[in-house]
Amino acid sequence: MWNVAAQDDARERQMLSLFNLERPQGHQRGGIDAVLQLEGRDVPSGLHGEVVPFELKSATKGKADFSTGRDIGLHTINRWRGLHWLFGRVRLPHRRPSSRCYYGSPGKMAAMFDLMASYIEHDVKLGELVPNLITLDTTREVLG
């Protein structure tokens, strides 16, 4: 039950292998999951040497049910806007490759990120305004 990170890692390794992606240098949880190095004779010269960042998401039990992030703010949404997204449906415990994978380009994901930003817009505004309204007296009254 507590090996969720290990399961996530296993699913991500499957996706890395399936799409010929690599872990970025200094990879950490919460950072960029994978990169595609554009190199080789089939890559147009104008793109040769470019590195394309990817966010990898996977779901188990054959359902395309994905979630992400625990602390999503505008900083997170803005970081996500520049990423390419791969969603894979993985069937555990057999660890077979996903039967379905979905790709989301930054352009195709933009509408979702706009919706997310609009959803938290009021929270962001409150976060900016409320601290200036709290006085030491208010804090003592509330917290004792």
Side-chain angles (χ1 to χ4, degrees):
M1 174 170 170
W2 297 106
N3 62 352
V4 172
Q7 288 180 354
D8 288 346
D9 288 344
R11 294 188 305 249
E12 283 188 5
R13 282 194 302 274
Q14 283 181 337
M15 293 174 76
L16 289 167
S17 176
L18 185 62
F19 293 102
N20 197 30
L21 301 171
E22 301 172 7
R23 287 273 190 221
Q25 228 173 354
H27 173 263
Q28 296 178 8
R29 270 226 175 283
I32 293 173
D33 293 334
V35 294
L36 176 63
Q37 305 278 347
L38 298 181
E39 52 193 21
R41 68 174 191 226
D42 295 330
V43 175
S45 60
L47 296 175
H48 204 275
E50 292 289 321
V51 177
V52 181
F54 278 85
E55 180 75 12
L56 305 178
K57 294 295 164 202
S58 59
T60 58
K61 300 178 185 168
K63 293 182 188 175
D65 184 14
F66 304 98
S67 67
T68 188
R70 291 171 187 84
D71 179 27
I72 298 174
L74 288 178
H75 63 286
T76 309
I77 295 169
N78 289 333
R79 182 177 62 85
W80 287 346
R81 287 183 186 277
L83 300 176
H84 294 256
W85 291 70
L86 282 175
F87 302 91
R89 225 171 49 186
V90 179
R91 299 178 197 275
L92 292 176
H94 308 297
R95 301 201 188 287
R96 294 183 313 191
S98 304
S99 61
R100 303 258 174 165
C101 291
Y102 308 91
Y103 168 72
S105 68
K108 290 289 185 181
M109 299 293 286
M112 184 184 78
F113 296 136
D114 291 345
L115 185 63
M116 292 170 77
S118 128
Y119 181 78
I120 65 171
E121 178 181 16
H122 299 293
D123 294 333
V124 170
K125 192 68 172 170
L126 283 172
E128 292 169 353
L129 296 174
V130 169
N132 296 327
L133 302 174
I134 304 290
T135 64
L136 187 54
D137 289 339
T138 307
T139 304
R140 283 189 185 121
E141 186 178 328
V142 172
L143 301 176

